[in-house]
Amino acid sequence: MKATAIAHPIQGIVKYHGMRDAQQRLPYHDSISVCTAPSHSKTTVEFSMDNEDNTYLIDGEEVEGSARDRLDRIVEEVRERSDAPHAVYGVRMESENSFPTNVGLGSSSSGFAAIATALAEAAELDATLGELSAIARRGSASAARSVTGGYSHLRAGLNDQDCRSHRIDSEIAEDHKIVVGLVPSYKDTDDAHEEAVESHMFQARMAHIHEQIAECRDALRKDDFDRVFELAEHDSLSLAATTMTGPEGWVYWSPKTLQIFAAVRELREEDDIPVYFSTDTGASVYVNTTEEHVDEVEEAVADCGVQTAVWEVGGPARILKEEEQALF
């Protein structure tokens, strides 16, 4: 049986750092993010007796190494939960991204969310979004939040009932615009997660992260745009400090990244525009603002000499209808 799903990548607002369990992808602490659209991953999967083994293609290239291992874990989890006789067959997966990958724009979140959603449909699972988020988490913890969409909160835990994502409804979604400043620079998030706990900043981050989560949830509930994205900006600096003080001293930012930071602060401090920068593990920058100011903000980011795009808040992962073009 074949199914196609689409999912949007996430921008971390209060980001997780470090994995308690790398196999189950259990983070040390909670995290909150927002899905970004129309950027997306579209994935088609098929269980078939003609498939001797699992085959995974992303943007036309076969997946190998640790990414393949994580995809296998999602497939096996779906098989264990499914009663469909065809779920024992090999899987063919083809996925394509509408945006650049490995540059800090969350492609792993949307990719693993889309495959988990498509696999569950193809295996005839009657799963809630929360249950799907726990399956997708086996590929990437951020994929759990990509499944539930919008502003979502992934709770830390040691099992699938606790460590799953929940949507936080907020009216700021209607006015929230995200200007992306694309700064190409290959990165490997797993390297940063593996050594996070060895940074002398890690325990300091753990000490304040629970208050950050509570503040962010409250700000979202009260539709307080400035408070949400002031938190996102400060959390980006905290994440980078922890990453840069690990054993390898990873520095993901580039001069263009810092130039965008300066442009954002100038808009906010001199022109009184509600605008805040945010980064995940990478050099590219999310610039959060409102619809009223988005054109001015995009112009300022583009003046830094980078490619830009304007995104908005995306919804949950979903199954596409047959006429919406499967990949094979």
Side-chain angles (χ1 to χ4, degrees):
M1 184 174 176
K2 184 187 294 188
T4 300
I6 192 171
H8 301 292
I10 61 94
Q11 171 198 168
I13 298 176
V14 180
K15 295 161 272 289
Y16 75 90
H17 202 27
M19 304 302 303
R20 186 187 302 275
D21 184 324
Q23 294 294 309
Q24 295 294 310
R25 311 300 290 184
L26 299 172
Y28 279 99
H29 59 76
D30 292 14
S31 54
I32 295 175
S33 64
V34 58
C35 275
T36 58
S39 54
H40 65 269
S41 298
K42 183 168 77 170
T43 303
T44 299
V45 302
E46 183 178 28
F47 291 99
S48 173
M49 62 189 307
D50 295 329
N51 300 330
E52 294 184 6
D53 196 6
N54 297 336
T55 302
Y56 309 123
L57 300 173
I58 299 178
D59 292 331
E61 296 188 6
E62 188 158 0
V63 180
E64 300 292 349
S66 63
R68 180 183 175 86
D69 293 339
R70 287 193 270 171
L71 287 166
D72 280 336
R73 287 199 289 272
I74 293 177
V75 171
E76 289 309 310
E77 181 64 23
V78 169
R79 283 193 176 122
E80 287 183 15
R81 295 178 184 229
S82 175
D83 294 325
H86 58 266
V88 301
Y89 299 141
V91 170
R92 179 176 179 83
M93 179 209 87
E94 290 191 23
S95 185
E96 61 182 20
N97 297 308
S98 70
F99 61 101
T101 60
N102 289 315
V103 293
L105 296 180
S107 60
S108 63
S109 64
S110 53
F112 287 117
I115 187 175
T117 303
L119 281 167
E121 177 73 9
E124 300 178 358
L125 288 186
D126 184 19
T128 65
L129 285 178
E131 290 166 340
L132 282 176
S133 77
I135 295 172
R137 194 202 65 234
R138 285 163 167 77
S140 167
S142 59
R145 289 176 271 119
S146 185
V147 167
T148 49
Y151 305 99
S152 283
H153 178 185
L154 175 64
R155 297 186 183 275
L158 300 179
N159 55 67
D160 287 343
Q161 288 70 41
D162 293 335
C163 192
R164 59 173 61 183
S165 180
H166 307 267
R167 183 81 169 259
I168 305 171
D169 292 327
S170 178
E171 290 184 7
I172 68 172
E174 299 174 10
D175 197 36
H176 183 190
K177 296 295 181 184
I178 303 146
V179 177
V180 175
L182 178 62
V183 185
S185 178
Y186 177 80
K187 55 85 191 177
D188 191 331
T189 305
D190 269 0
D191 289 339
H193 283 312
E194 285 178 8
E195 65 172 54
V197 295
E198 299 181 62
S199 164
H200 68 277
M201 298 290 291
F202 182 74
Q203 290 304 322
R205 181 170 172 81
M206 288 290 290
H208 83 263
I209 203 71
H210 304 295
E211 181 66 23
Q212 292 278 89
I213 290 290
E215 280 280 326
C216 189
R217 286 182 62 89
D218 184 63
L220 285 166
R221 295 292 192 197
K222 293 179 177 175
D223 306 320
D224 190 338
F225 179 92
D226 291 288
R227 189 152 62 112
V228 170
F229 293 105
E230 183 179 0
L231 283 165
E233 186 169 299
H234 281 279
D235 187 70
S236 299
L237 300 175
S238 171
L239 181 80
T242 307
T243 301
M244 290 190 288
T245 52
E248 295 297 325
W250 296 103
V251 178
Y252 289 115
W253 293 344
S254 78
K256 290 293 184 185
T257 307
L258 299 178
Q259 189 177 350
I260 296 171
F261 290 178
V264 167
R265 285 182 163 169
E266 182 176 339
L267 287 171
R268 189 169 69 232
E269 294 167 5
E270 297 186 9
D271 299 333
D272 201 27
I273 291 175
V275 58
Y276 303 87
F277 65 77
S278 177
T279 62
D280 288 333
T281 309
S284 295
V285 185
Y286 300 100
V287 181
N288 297 288
T289 189
T290 60
E291 187 168 10
E292 178 184 356
H293 299 285
V294 67
D295 292 339
E296 185 177 357
V297 170
E298 183 182 21
E299 182 178 356
V301 175
D303 284 346
C304 295
V306 299
Q307 181 181 341
T308 63
V310 176
W311 293 346
E312 58 189 23
V313 178
R318 63 184 177 90
I319 296 297
L320 295 181
K321 298 177 182 178
E322 192 172 332
E323 60 268 24
E324 293 181 278
Q325 299 182 355
L327 295 179
F328 62 90

